[in-house]
Amino acid sequence: MTKDTSAARIVVNAPGDYTTMQVEHFDPPTPGPGELLVRVAAAGVNFIDMYRRAGVYKVPYPHVLGSEGSGTVLAVGEETSGFTAGDQISWDAAPGSYATHAIVPASNAVLVPAGVDLTTAAAVRLQGLTAHYLATSSFRISPGDIALIHAGAGGVGLLLTQIAVALGARVITTVSTQDKAELSLAAGASRAILYSEMEDITTQLPPQVRAAARELRSHTEHHVGDGRGDGVDVVYDGVGKTTFDASLASLRIRGTLVLFGGSSGQVPPFDLQQLNAHGSLTVTRPTLAHFVLTRRELESRMNDLHTWIAQGTLTVSVGATYPLEQAGEAHHAVEGRKTMGKVLLIPSTAS
Ligand code: NDP
């Protein structure tokens, strides 16, 4: 294959802030066994990229950022079945995806069906799989459940809200601005609570959540008289440090807290007796890799997502796109809580 010296990628040479991200030109490698060389159409921006950039998660440096994307297969490595040049695929675990060209493990690639464009395919891949396993596996939503979802206008938040509602839940969200509240309500939330101006989220948020849950429950006979009190059945908390205590205090007896991230910082160690004191609660701290353990599990979840998109059950909201070279600005916007929905990097088709 001819070398493409106009290929570009985003690199950091040491842990640091968004200003340390640099554009580097490189020769796309030949794919090895089990690998695909892909022309990237869109690369997803995710918190894991920022954790790796900043050194919160340890990676060797120099480090090429990114792990998620969609694109077209240019070359297939030896001993690699299931894909041919020209196929359109998405992935969520290919290090170095902030690039014009990336090497994608075939084991992580999924064909994008006709009817789903490559932008949507990249936007739904990592956050969609996350929302899927949160709603169906970490805590299986049942009709009538009331769920609290923090950062309801975020990438995971918007998808999780739609999936939870489709599975029969009523959803309360937290958001930081009125614009975000409107987007969250449009995605199906019954209530969107503004939490950013609260002086003390831990004491001020739970009463508002409990009041909202009581009101939603009063519209139905479901759960009435089961003795578990008010509050929500499940909290999905990807904000972490600033919301964790409020999440515990918002649950009903025997409720479940699914802590799946820390956009405000990681939750420090805590006293397990709190689970007893708050009502025999369950806390789980899941990660995506453990919910796509087999090829079958990955394909089944992706098939659901693609089907829901085709049926109109799931709308994928791309809040912002940036040229690949402006990846630093994209990180800055996400870290500054400026974004709604999915943020994507688009490599120039000329480079
Ligand atoms: P979002 O699009 O939700 O962006 C993060 C949101 O968190 C912000 O928009 C903001 O919403 C809220 N937030 C609250 N406090 C802060 C803060 N101090 N700094 C920045 N943001 C803050 O991100 P994603 O959807 O990509 O990810 C959400 C979470 O899910 C992350 O913690 C991520 O690590 C986690 N995740 C976990 C996975 C897993 O398998 N465990 C997989 C994928 C993601 P607002 O302004 O409304 O408060």
Side-chain angles (χ1 to χ4, degrees):
M1 198 183 67
T2 25
K3 297 272 186 191
D4 184 351
T5 49
S6 62
R9 58 190 180 188
I10 305 295
V11 184
V12 283
N13 291 306
D17 68 14
Y18 73 97
T19 61
T20 59
M21 296 160 64
Q22 294 173 9
V23 180
E24 179 183 270
H25 291 274
F26 74 113
D27 293 332
T30 302
E35 292 180 342
L36 309 168
L37 174 66
V38 177
R39 184 76 170 79
V40 179
V45 174
N46 292 292
F47 264 82
I48 196 162
D49 309 332
M50 288 169 268
Y51 299 149
R52 288 176 176 146
R53 186 210 71 215
V56 177
Y57 288 1
K58 302 296 169 217
V59 287
Y61 297 92
H63 174 70
V64 185
L65 287 160
S67 52
E68 176 189 42
S70 66
T72 305
V73 175
L74 294 177
V76 178
E78 288 173 13
E79 302 159 37
T80 309
S81 58
F83 298 95
T84 54
D87 282 347
Q88 298 203 322
I89 61 166
S90 70
W91 62 90
D92 62 75
S97 292
Y98 285 13
T100 54
H101 301 71
I103 293 290
V104 176
S107 57
N108 187 248
V110 170
L111 287 170
V112 176
V116 178
D117 62 80
L118 283 175
T119 305
T120 303
V124 79
R125 179 65 200 251
L126 193 150
Q127 293 171 342
L129 280 175
T130 302
H132 189 289
Y133 86 72
L134 290 174
T136 61
S137 301
S138 287
F139 175 91
R140 181 183 282 271
I141 294 276
S142 301
D145 282 342
I146 299 187
L148 170 64
I149 300 175
H150 290 301
V156 174
L158 286 171
L159 296 169
L160 180 55
T161 298
Q162 294 176 72
I163 294 172
V165 169
L167 294 173
R170 265 82 43 81
V171 171
I172 301 163
T173 60
T174 56
V175 289
S176 65
T177 66
Q178 197 54 47
D179 282 352
K180 289 188 176 189
E182 280 162 26
L183 191 61
S184 173
L185 292 169
S190 299
R191 303 279 184 282
I193 300 175
L194 288 164
Y195 65 167
S196 53
E197 283 164 18
M198 291 179 182
E199 277 177 25
D200 183 357
I201 291 180
T202 303
T203 57
Q204 290 175 262
L205 181 59
Q208 290 198 32
V209 172
R210 286 177 178 279
R214 249 191 322 272
E215 204 212 321
L216 290 172
R217 210 166 266 126
S218 73
H219 295 310
T220 167
E221 289 303 305
H222 195 81
H223 289 310
V224 169
D226 68 1
R228 289 176 55 205
D230 61 9
V232 296
D233 298 279
V234 59
V235 181
Y236 292 107
D237 188 345
V239 173
K241 191 173 178 183
T242 58
T243 47
F244 182 76
D245 289 335
S247 296
L248 286 178
S250 298
L251 283 161
R252 14 175 20 213
I253 291 172
R254 302 202 313 247
T256 299
L257 169 51
V258 183
L259 176 71
F260 66 97
S263 59
S264 70
Q266 302 305 318
V267 175
F270 92 113
D271 179 2
L272 284 171
Q273 283 300 336
Q274 284 198 56
L275 301 182
N276 163 3
H278 282 291
S280 298
L281 305 180
T282 298
V283 176
T284 179
R285 180 37 176 115
T287 197
L288 172 59
H290 300 148
F291 292 85
V292 285
L293 287 175
T294 62
R295 183 78 203 167
R296 194 169 164 185
E297 188 171 31
L298 171 64
E299 285 183 351
S300 165
R301 292 191 195 278
M302 285 308 304
N303 186 49
D304 281 351
L305 292 166
H306 288 148
T307 304
W308 293 337
I309 291 169
Q311 289 172 342
T313 310
L314 189 64
T315 301
V316 182
S317 169
V318 177
T321 58
Y322 292 80
L324 177 66
E325 310 80 60
Q326 291 176 20
E329 279 82 353
H331 276 208
H332 190 41
V334 173
E335 289 173 311
R337 301 170 76 166
K338 299 280 190 291
T339 59
M340 299 194 271
K342 184 68 188 178
V343 177
L344 293 173
L345 304 177
I346 309 295
S348 150
T349 45
S351 61

